[in-house]
Amino acid sequence: MPRINTDTHLAPAASQPLLQQIQQAFGSTPNMFKAVANSPAALKSMWASFGALGQGTLGAQLGEQIAVAIANRNRCEYCLAAHTVLGQKAGASLAAMSAAQVGESEDPRTAAALRFALKVVEQRAHIDATDVAALRDAGFKDEQVVEIMAHVALNLFTNYINVAFDVPVDFPKVALK
């Protein structure tokens, strides 16, 4: 049982228009957004971040692979399940999403991004110049390096919401590795 309200009828009035947008985007309202809707400011921030990064240069598939790697590392079953589904919708195979859980990919560029994202999480952003250089060597420009960091930050936010508040998973479950 969640530790915070997930009844959208009890969410503040200021959250209702965003909840309607989310309902339209997903065809239902995922439990994570129901929990975040308790704070209109937090919901606005999260939804805007998803929208902005969805328009970024990394592409949906890599964004979802970063998300499952971070979810697995943080033991967030909710995000692991949700982003595995979203990654497949973005064109990644189930095998690619499974490999991404542990920071691996057959594609060297994707593998570099996953290694970087996981290092940022593990070392709480205490990285060095060689870590950024490895991304550049893999073909990432500064814009994309910063965008990877934004994906890390957004996924930490969503992981922490779901883990801390024990938000019920409403996507097909995926085993943590």
Side-chain angles (χ1 to χ4, degrees), residues 38-53:
N38 286 289
S39 166
L43 183 61
K44 183 177 181 181
S45 172
M46 182 183 283
W47 189 238
S49 292
F50 278 121
L53 291 174

Side-chain angles (χ1 to χ4, degrees), residues 88-110:
Q88 289 177 287
K89 284 184 179 181
S93 68
L94 183 56
M97 295 308 292
S98 181
Q101 276 184 253
V102 292
E104 297 175 0
S105 175
E106 291 180 3
D107 174 58
R109 187 171 185 270
T110 299

Side-chain angles (χ1 to χ4, degrees), residues 7-27:
D7 182 346
T8 58
H9 296 97
L10 300 177
S15 291
Q16 297 303 324
L18 288 176
L19 286 168
Q20 289 174 1
Q21 288 179 24
I22 293 163
Q23 166 78 29
Q24 289 174 347
F26 286 93

Side-chain angles (χ1 to χ4, degrees), residues 11-85:
S15 291
Q16 297 303 324
L18 288 176
L19 286 168
Q20 289 174 1
Q21 288 179 24
I22 293 163
Q23 166 78 29
Q24 289 174 347
F26 286 93
S28 64
T29 305
N31 287 335
M32 177 186 71
F33 292 107
K34 292 176 183 179
V36 177
N38 286 289
S39 166
L43 183 61
K44 183 177 181 181
S45 172
M46 182 183 283
W47 189 238
S49 292
F50 278 121
L53 291 174
Q55 300 293 318
T57 62
L58 293 180
Q61 196 173 99
L62 180 54
E64 299 303 339
Q65 288 171 304
I66 291 169
V68 298
I70 294 169
N72 192 73
R73 183 57 44 98
N74 287 326
R75 305 197 56 74
C76 180
E77 293 178 355
Y78 190 98
C79 288
L80 180 58
H83 290 288
T84 296
V85 167

